[in-house]
Amino acid sequence: MIQIAVMGHGVVGSGVTNILLNHNDEIAKKVQEEIYIKKVLDLRDFPDSPIADRFTKSFEDIINDDDIKIVVEVMGGINPAYDFVKRCLQNGKSVVTSNKELVASKGAELLKIAEDNNLNFLFEASVGGGIPIIRPLNQCLSANVIDEIDGILNGTTNFILTKMIRESMSFEDALALAQKLGYAERNPAADVEGHDACRKICILASLIFGKHVYPDAVHTEGITKITLKDVEYAQAWGGVVKLIGSVKLNKDKQEIIVAPMFIKNDCQLANVDDVFNAILVKGDATGEVVFYGKGAGKLPTASAVVADVMDCVNHIEQRRNIYWEDSDNRDVLPFEETKYAMYVLVNTENKADTLEKAEKLFGKCDVISKNDADEKELAFVTPVMKFADFDKAYKELSDGTSQTVTAIRIADI
Ligand code: HSE
């Protein structure tokens, strides 16, 4: 029998205990061991739980119990998760986590402690919820040079954008629904401002480049400024707006960004709706590989956590080879240097004059026409250009007769 502890009994944690209790026999057959939940750490009381007697409010009950060999961390956030996880690894306990904030900010350090102690630190659930992506990148695709990953990495924002696109639902109503369904973070700003997707693309980038990419090096924009009008212009252009996390190898630099982008309807990510995530990986031997599934929610995420626990049980004496070095972010290309075509929306008294001025500033632009557009609106797509050059020209476009409203990148996927 392998004894484990679960730290956190929220959405994911309760899913983990559900799966472990409900699938106990099947899991035991697969790993040739019974997995016994000895302790569950949470500050709240759960008197109706079938294992209510195993709940504790004290981390010391876990760290001081030498029989507990694997600890699941599903509390989320950095404090106290970082301290608890570090102490578990320093005290001979393997750790499984779904905590992307922890992995994105402390991954290199925790992987090193795990390696030094011949333990596992596994985090499949930290990216893509129930979608297998960490293990495929680390194992199945490891013979490839992977030079690009593009993904819809946040279920909440994809759910919100889908509701806006398909049902013209307001941003606020769609967010409230996502929260009710348990998709959103405790502080949904992490979702809608793009930080959650940023943490996930950092984890994937760190894994494929073998060096830690920290979130503060990544230009991150969320979806709070996306309007139903942008959604309609994307449709008129032949696509949809999606929050994209992207990492590319550009010579010896990493080009990495999280931002809402227009993607064409024939792109493999365009029809990824609701809480679903999809991750497009470009390998030099495989070509494109797409991973698709539920990126958030209780049981999909818990499924990935429990599979990691099972992997730990199977490798209790021999750690899984997953590792990246620490870094100082010097390999990340400044986002001003990245190149995209841009959708621009302008309110203007004179469309012809504004378009002429825009083409002097940006080069040849493609106008987007939309039925029932306001007669003062001018929408167009610029050529591909360096962001620094775009930004300078964009600021010069507004004048006494025209006012820029918004600009959104056109994805090059
Ligand atoms: N809030 C996250 C999302 C949960 O919506 O994708 C899964 O990481």
Side-chain angles (χ1 to χ4, degrees), residues 312-377:
C312 282
V313 172
N314 282 330
H315 296 87
I316 205 84
E317 302 293 342
Q318 187 195 13
R319 62 182 291 280
R320 300 301 269 161
N321 187 20
I322 177 165
Y323 191 73
W324 61 71
E325 289 173 11
D326 205 356
S327 84
D328 54 10
N329 280 336
R330 252 187 300 185
D331 295 332
V332 176
L333 188 76
F335 88 96
E336 294 85 354
E337 303 284 312
T338 60
K339 291 180 182 169
Y340 285 91
M342 301 291 290
Y343 147 82
V344 175
L345 181 63
V346 191
N347 276 334
T348 174
E349 299 297 328
N350 186 326
K351 284 191 198 180
D353 283 359
T354 302
L355 184 59
E356 195 182 326
K357 182 174 176 187
E359 294 201 318
K360 275 190 191 134
L361 290 166
F362 300 111
K364 179 88 184 82
C365 297
D366 293 327
V367 172
I368 310 177
S369 306
K370 155 172 112 64
N371 292 339
D372 71 16
D374 188 315
E375 62 179 32
K376 291 187 174 170
E377 274 168 20

Side-chain angles (χ1 to χ4, degrees), residues 266-279:
D266 59 4
C267 171
Q268 301 195 68
L269 302 182
N271 290 312
V272 175
D273 283 344
D274 297 317
V275 74
F276 283 85
N277 285 189
I279 304 156

Side-chain angles (χ1 to χ4, degrees), residues 142-356:
S142 58
N144 288 258
V145 172
I146 293 170
D147 57 14
E148 181 169 344
I149 298 181
D150 302 288
I152 294 174
L153 298 168
N154 181 269
T156 301
T157 46
N158 203 41
F159 180 86
I160 293 170
L161 289 172
T162 304
K163 290 285 171 202
M164 290 172 76
I165 293 166
R166 302 239 184 267
E167 299 171 31
S168 299
M169 192 183 270
S170 74
F171 175 89
E172 291 74 19
D173 287 353
L175 172 59
L177 192 52
Q179 285 178 295
K180 195 173 146 207
L181 293 169
Y183 303 149
E185 298 300 300
R186 258 179 303 182
N187 175 4
D191 296 299
V192 297
E193 300 290 357
H195 303 302
D196 178 77
C198 173
R199 289 163 190 150
K200 291 167 178 168
I201 199 70
C202 285
I203 295 170
L204 299 181
S206 304
L207 198 58
I208 60 169
F209 296 129
K211 280 191 181 177
H212 200 122
V213 178
Y214 286 92
D216 58 4
V218 176
H219 178 76
T220 301
E221 295 173 23
I223 63 161
T224 50
K225 296 194 185 104
I226 301 296
T227 63
L228 287 173
K229 196 166 276 182
D230 299 324
V231 165
E232 287 163 13
Y233 272 111
Q235 278 164 345
W237 170 79
V240 283
V241 189
K242 293 286 184 189
L243 183 66
I244 300 292
S246 173
V247 57
K248 289 177 197 164
L249 196 56
N250 181 339
K251 299 197 182 92
D252 53 347
K253 292 282 186 194
Q254 297 157 14
E255 207 179 301
I256 174 162
I257 189 167
V258 172
M261 297 188 193
F262 278 20
I263 57 176
K264 279 285 183 194
N265 284 329
D266 59 4
C267 171
Q268 301 195 68
L269 302 182
N271 290 312
V272 175
D273 283 344
D274 297 317
V275 74
F276 283 85
N277 285 189
I279 304 156
L280 175 64
V281 179
K282 298 183 184 172
D284 65 342
T286 55
E288 294 185 354
V289 184
V290 180
F291 298 84
Y292 171 83
K294 281 191 180 158
K298 175 174 170 153
L299 291 177
T301 310
S303 149
V305 173
V306 174
D308 271 354
V309 172
M310 293 166 71
D311 206 12
C312 282
V313 172
N314 282 330
H315 296 87
I316 205 84
E317 302 293 342
Q318 187 195 13
R319 62 182 291 280
R320 300 301 269 161
N321 187 20
I322 177 165
Y323 191 73
W324 61 71
E325 289 173 11
D326 205 356
S327 84
D328 54 10
N329 280 336
R330 252 187 300 185
D331 295 332
V332 176
L333 188 76
F335 88 96
E336 294 85 354
E337 303 284 312
T338 60
K339 291 180 182 169
Y340 285 91
M342 301 291 290
Y343 147 82
V344 175
L345 181 63
V346 191
N347 276 334
T348 174
E349 299 297 328
N350 186 326
K351 284 191 198 180
D353 283 359
T354 302
L355 184 59
E356 195 182 326

